């Protein structure tokens, strides 16, 4: 299998992009576990040997598809936490970014929901930036005491449920803001303050998109 860091020719790159495109389609429809390499090569319009010239398995392809999103998402969230002074507002902004996947990249959203291995990759990351943000908020006495990793796990589980409801078109129009408020209340903020923080977070996130 050729290393993509080597200087690949145009044909090699084109085949790889076809496989990634085909994989996105198949994974979003079936999930990683149910999909087969045959399904992927049919969707991509390439041969089976071509698949194995690029990827050792369908799981490696799935991770390739998700890797860029995960990296971009993590960098954006860490940047928010460094820039926003209030940990509660930073968490609310980052929850909004996560829920936005359902509309901004539904293929990745469906792939995550339908792939236990990719969900596990998100949840079991050794460098859990969300847990670190929660721990910082606890140290600053902004959040109630608790286990940051367990709280992060609960937030992600709830986020996956909200994303699925949005994709299935069963979510209320204010599902994101309600979930943001719920997260902040779980962290120890009173209801009225949670609502106020979410409004600030949404205004900040909206200003960032315009910029």
């Amino acid at each position: 299998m050729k290393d993509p860091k080597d200087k690949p020719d145009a044909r090699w790159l084109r085949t790889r992009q076809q496989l990634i495109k085909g994989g996105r389609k198949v994974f979003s429809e079936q999930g990683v576990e149910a999909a087969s390499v045959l399904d992927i090569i049919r969707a991509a319009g390439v041969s089976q040997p071509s698949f194995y010239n690029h990827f050792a398995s369908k799981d490696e392809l799935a991770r390739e598809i998700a890797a860029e999103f995960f990296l971009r998402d993590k960098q954006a969230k860490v940047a928010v936490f460094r820039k926003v002074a209030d940990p509660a507002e930073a968490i609310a902004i980052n929850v909004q970014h996560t829920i936005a996947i359902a509309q901004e990249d539904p293929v990745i959203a469906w792939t995550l929901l339908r792939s236990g291995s990719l969900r596990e990759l998100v949840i079991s990351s050794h460098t859990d930036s969300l847990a670190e943000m929660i721990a910082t908020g606890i140290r600053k006495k902004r959040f109630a005491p608790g286990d940051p990793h367990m709280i992060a796990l609960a937030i992600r589980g709830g986020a996956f449920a909200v994303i699925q409801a949005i994709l299935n078109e069963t979510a209320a129009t204010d599902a994101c803001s309600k979930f943001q408020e719920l997260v902040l209340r779980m962290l120890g903020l009173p209801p009225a303050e949670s609502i106020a923080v979410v409004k600030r977070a949404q205004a900040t996130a909206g200003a960032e998109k315009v910029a």
Side-chain angles (χ1 to χ4, degrees), residues 30-201:
Q30 302 182 27
V32 177
E33 284 77 9
S36 69
V37 170
L38 184 59
D39 294 327
I40 295 165
I41 63 175
R42 283 175 175 167
V46 304
S47 67
Q48 190 163 343
S50 292
F51 178 92
Y52 289 108
N53 282 338
H54 291 264
F55 302 102
S57 66
K58 65 176 183 179
D59 293 308
E60 183 179 306
L61 172 58
R63 286 173 182 266
E64 171 81 7
I65 291 169
E68 183 180 351
F69 165 79
F70 287 148
L71 177 61
R72 191 171 63 246
D73 184 64
K74 181 176 180 178
Q75 289 173 337
K77 289 179 176 178
V78 170
V80 165
F81 200 70
R82 288 174 178 166
K83 182 169 60 176
V84 177
D86 179 8
E89 185 177 341
I91 293 285
I93 292 170
N94 285 335
V95 166
Q96 185 171 339
H97 284 171
T98 298
I99 301 301
I101 299 168
Q103 295 174 327
E104 294 176 0
D105 197 340
V107 170
I108 284 290
W110 274 123
T111 301
L112 276 172
L113 291 173
R114 290 173 173 163
S115 171
S117 61
L118 288 183
R119 285 200 306 275
E120 195 62 32
L121 179 66
V122 176
I123 291 169
S124 63
S125 171
H126 292 301
T127 54
D128 189 338
S129 56
L130 177 57
E132 290 172 2
M133 294 175 194
I134 294 168
T136 299
I138 292 172
R139 285 196 303 272
K140 292 183 175 180
K141 302 188 183 303
R142 182 62 166 128
F143 303 147
D147 183 329
H149 291 284
M150 289 301 296
I151 297 170
L153 186 66
I155 291 172
R156 288 196 177 97
F160 284 141
V162 174
I163 289 169
Q164 183 162 13
I166 292 171
L167 291 170
N168 289 332
E169 299 182 348
T170 59
T173 55
D174 61 350
C176 181
S177 60
K178 292 300 183 187
F179 182 64
Q180 288 171 289
E181 292 169 20
L182 181 64
V183 167
L184 294 179
R185 291 180 67 178
M186 181 169 60
L187 290 167
L189 274 68
E193 187 178 3
S194 297
I195 293 170
V197 171
V198 167
K199 287 181 179 177
R200 290 202 306 271

